[in-house]
Amino acid sequence: FKHSGQNPYEYDYEAFQKYCIGRHPRLPELIQMYGNPYEPEKMKEEKKISESGPKKSRMISVNLSAFSGPALGKPPVKKKFSDNTLIVNLKPVLSKMFSVPQDTILLRLKTDPHQPFYDMTEDLKDFLYYGVKDDCEIWVGDAQEV
């Protein structure tokens, strides 16, 4: 690149987003939070500006509904959880609430009414990983009944 005069960081940003959006549900949010990995100079400048301490966890209100099991057809339940709640810690609570066996429970997240459901299958990930926001819908059911 030195001798050709080309910029090594030139790329199609739209194509990059389309490629990555299916691989990680929070790509736009992460780029906004940490910067674009293909623009290191800009990231260094922004990092100098925003040197702050660790973020505090906050409470997120979610709507819980059943898509199978004995709670099917009941109105949604609104609950508050910390934004760093792990899925592995959430499953026992929801298992008791919705009378679904814990080993076969399936959680499906809908962050936006226009987006499809996203299965929350990674037990050691938290709400921040999945991009759970206030008033998101989490549907609970038995994976064997799907």
Side-chain angles (χ1 to χ4, degrees), residues 81 84-95 102-103 105 107 120-127 130:
F81 296 101
N84 59 3
T85 301
L86 294 175
I87 303 304
V88 72
N89 297 337
L90 183 67
K91 283 186 175 182
V93 174
L94 298 181
S95 175
Q102 186 176 342
D103 55 339
I105 194 168
L107 306 178
M120 301 170 79
T121 55
E122 296 288 329
D123 283 351
L124 297 178
K125 301 294 183 183
D126 59 7
F127 278 170
Y130 287 107

Side-chain angles (χ1 to χ4, degrees), residues 54-60 81-85 126 128:
K55 289 186 175 183
K56 293 183 179 178
S57 63
R58 62 183 187 91
M59 298 302 283
I60 296 175
F81 296 101
S82 171
D83 63 357
N84 59 3
T85 301
D126 59 7
L128 291 172

Side-chain angles (χ1 to χ4, degrees), residues 20-40:
C20 293
I21 199 75
R23 289 166 174 61
H24 199 287
R26 294 182 51 215
L27 175 75
E29 182 183 343
L30 292 173
I31 287 177
Q32 185 179 13
M33 192 181 306
Y34 298 109
N36 190 337
Y38 291 106
E39 296 174 2

Side-chain angles (χ1 to χ4, degrees), residues 60-71:
I60 296 175
S61 178
V62 295
N63 296 317
L64 303 168
S65 303
F67 68 82
S68 68

Side-chain angles (χ1 to χ4, degrees), residues 107-111 116-120 130 132 136-138:
L107 306 178
R108 291 187 165 164
L109 172 69
K110 191 164 195 168
T111 56
F117 284 102
Y118 189 80
D119 289 348
M120 301 170 79
Y130 287 107
V132 178
C136 283
E137 296 177 31
I138 295 180

